[in-house]
Amino acid sequence: SDRDRRIRAVTSLLPVGPWVSAEQLARFKDDHRRQLRLFRGFVEQLVRRERDDESFEMRIQRAAELRDELVDELEAIQGRSTSSGLWLSAGKYVASLLEASPISGMLDLISGSRSRSSDAQRGREIGRDGLAYAVMARSSLRARSSSEILA
């Protein structure tokens, strides 16, 4: 039934375990209403798209894989944005010590700015995706230690 498929899709794409309190889940849901609305639309399309169970299961599997790829991509973007700030600071310090030419320093700044701009744009694209809610849940509500899983 559609209800069973909906439950299967949600439990597969939002692997939220007992380590997440009802309070945390409610706060997450309130903080990400727009993404939740997109996710619900995605699940409805997923449920109704395929009538046979095998195709439905394959789509769920691909959606879970894509969610994990998007989580990795966002984490990489966040890592680059953190490290780019450090590199920019270190670059200014090294340039002042070596008295590098102003043109090479400007080229580095422009290149870094373009990269940060494209990362920010990609982050916004992911935030508008139908799986954005699942991506954020996977990142924010996952277990942080084995003891949380066993609790």
Side-chain angles (χ1 to χ4, degrees), residues 136-151:
M136 289 184 239
R138 177 83 175 199
S139 293
S140 302
L141 301 176
R142 66 181 168 202
R144 302 290 181 205
S145 68
S146 59
S147 61
E148 287 183 355
I149 294 170
L150 298 174

Side-chain angles (χ1 to χ4, degrees), residues 4-151:
D4 292 338
R5 283 182 165 204
R6 224 175 266 109
I7 290 169
R8 171 79 176 104
V10 169
T11 57
S12 295
L13 297 174
L14 294 176
V16 177
W19 55 85
V20 178
S21 70
E23 197 173 83
Q24 285 175 296
L25 198 53
R27 187 173 42 250
F28 183 82
K29 187 176 168 182
D30 285 343
D31 290 346
H32 303 287
R33 290 177 193 207
R34 185 177 62 82
Q35 289 84 5
L36 177 58
R37 190 171 48 253
L38 293 171
F39 179 69
R40 286 179 175 158
F42 174 77
V43 168
E44 282 305 310
Q45 289 178 31
L46 188 62
V47 164
R48 296 169 194 259
R49 173 86 28 133
E50 299 292 340
R51 294 307 340 153
D52 68 288
D53 290 338
E54 187 177 332
S55 296
F56 175 70
E57 289 297 325
M58 285 176 44
R59 285 190 190 271
I60 286 178
Q61 179 64 34
R62 181 59 194 127
E65 290 168 0
L66 177 58
R67 177 209 54 215
D68 293 344
E69 291 168 13
L70 294 174
V71 167
D72 292 344
E73 189 175 353
L74 277 179
E75 288 175 353
I77 288 171
Q78 289 170 344
R80 282 193 300 272
S81 70
T82 301
S83 66
S84 69
L86 294 174
W87 280 109
L88 187 59
S89 297
K92 287 180 181 178
Y93 179 71
V94 169
S96 69
L97 289 176
L98 300 175
E99 296 182 2
S101 78
I103 293 175
S104 67
M106 287 175 64
L107 291 176
D108 289 344
L109 288 175
I110 291 168
S111 171
S113 176
R114 281 190 194 138
S115 174
R116 285 188 301 277
S117 175
S118 64
D119 280 350
Q121 180 179 350
R122 181 62 183 142
R124 285 189 299 274
E125 289 170 1
I126 292 171
R128 291 188 298 263
D129 191 274
L131 283 171
Y133 188 75
V135 168
M136 289 184 239
R138 177 83 175 199
S139 293
S140 302
L141 301 176
R142 66 181 168 202
R144 302 290 181 205
S145 68
S146 59
S147 61
E148 287 183 355
I149 294 170
L150 298 174

